[in-house]
């Protein structure tokens, strides 16, 4: 790994994944430990979404939504076919996911992740499986889609595939890093 400074343009591979049938695994039980609840937001304010987006996605270069027009972003997060779920644990937000059912028959798992303080507590697998079942619970769902990229958590792609998603395409782009971060050097296998 090499420390790459903020402001550096880096290559990024986006992987598009799909699931075309409800998975065979059961709906997971709530994790043991402190009180845990999953809440669906009703017309969440933009600031709430952006705070979760930043807390979860900051280490992984989730920056696009900060450049989105506030009114456009409000229309997106408050659309009746878009649902923002917050994972609360021990009284504070530990993560979130967002389901976008605006495409007829296809539900996009738009965002999913944990805040850094919640990583390693056994919540990631539970959150992903819960999100998948919630997507399939939406009437008319025929496909669940998501995308990940090489800037996301290094285990994200494998976790999605293990949960039943299949890669259906890739795209190569470049991004300018917003913060210093460790990245594979060009001579390492990725």
């Amino acid at each position: 790994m090499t420390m790459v400074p903020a402001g550096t343009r880096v290559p990024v591979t986006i992987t598009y994944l799909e699931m075309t049938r409800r998975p065979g695994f059961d709906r997971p039980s709530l994790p043991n430990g402190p009180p845990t609840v999953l809440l669906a937001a009703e017309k969440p304010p933009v600031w709430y979404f952006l705070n979760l987006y930043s807390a979860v996605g900051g280490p992984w270069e989730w920056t696009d939504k900060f450049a989105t027009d506030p009114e456009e972003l409000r229309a997106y997060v408050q659309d009746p076919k878009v649902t923002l779920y917050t994972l609360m644990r021990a009284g504070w937000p530990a993560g979130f996911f967002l389901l976008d059912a605006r495409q007829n028959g296809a539900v996009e798992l738009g965002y999913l992740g944990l805040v850094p303080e919640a990583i390693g507590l056994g919540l990631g697998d539970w959150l992903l499986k819960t999100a998948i079942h919630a997507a399939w619970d939406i009437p008319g769902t025929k496909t669940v889609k998501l995308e990940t990229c090489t800037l996301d958590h290094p285990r994200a792609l494998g976790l999605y595939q293990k949960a039943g998603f299949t890669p259906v395409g890739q795209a190569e782009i470049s991004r300018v890093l917003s913060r210093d971060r460790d990245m594979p050097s060009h001579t390492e296998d990725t």
Side-chain angles (χ1 to χ4, degrees), residues 21-83:
R21 62 185 157 165
R22 186 180 283 272
F25 54 80
D26 292 334
R27 188 177 303 272
S29 299
L30 277 173
N32 292 328
T36 304
V37 65
L38 185 65
L39 301 170
E42 293 182 19
K43 293 192 175 190
V46 169
W47 65 262
Y48 183 75
F49 168 75
L50 287 176
N51 277 303
L52 288 172
Y53 178 82
S54 176
V56 168
W60 317 115
E61 293 294 323
W62 292 8
T63 57
D64 297 356
K65 292 300 182 192
F66 293 110
T68 302
D69 173 75
E71 186 55 33
E72 181 182 331
L73 190 54
R74 185 199 61 74
Y76 169 64
V77 299
Q78 293 184 1
D79 189 294
K81 292 188 175 192
V82 173
T83 307

Side-chain angles (χ1 to χ4, degrees), residues 7-156:
T8 303
R9 182 167 292 280
V10 297
V12 177
T13 301
I14 300 170
T15 301
Y16 303 95
L17 300 106
E18 290 184 359
M19 182 182 288
T20 56
R21 62 185 157 165
R22 186 180 283 272
F25 54 80
D26 292 334
R27 188 177 303 272
S29 299
L30 277 173
N32 292 328
T36 304
V37 65
L38 185 65
L39 301 170
E42 293 182 19
K43 293 192 175 190
V46 169
W47 65 262
Y48 183 75
F49 168 75
L50 287 176
N51 277 303
L52 288 172
Y53 178 82
S54 176
V56 168
W60 317 115
E61 293 294 323
W62 292 8
T63 57
D64 297 356
K65 292 300 182 192
F66 293 110
T68 302
D69 173 75
E71 186 55 33
E72 181 182 331
L73 190 54
R74 185 199 61 74
Y76 169 64
V77 299
Q78 293 184 1
D79 189 294
K81 292 188 175 192
V82 173
T83 307
L84 172 67
Y85 292 86
T86 304
L87 174 63
M88 300 292 291
R89 184 158 173 99
W92 48 272
F96 82 105
F97 65 87
L98 185 141
L99 297 178
D100 181 348
R102 294 178 297 169
Q103 287 184 20
N104 193 25
V107 176
E108 180 180 4
L109 180 48
Y111 298 96
L112 177 132
L114 299 170
V115 298
E117 297 84 356
I119 293 174
L121 301 178
L123 300 171
D125 187 61
W126 178 86
L127 189 63
L128 175 58
K129 288 179 177 179
T130 299
I132 291 168
H133 275 286
W136 283 104
D137 289 346
I138 297 171
T141 300
K142 295 182 176 102
T143 304
V144 177
K145 301 178 178 188
L146 64 81
E147 64 183 65
T148 189
C149 75
T150 50
L151 292 175
D152 282 338
H153 191 286
R155 292 191 304 260

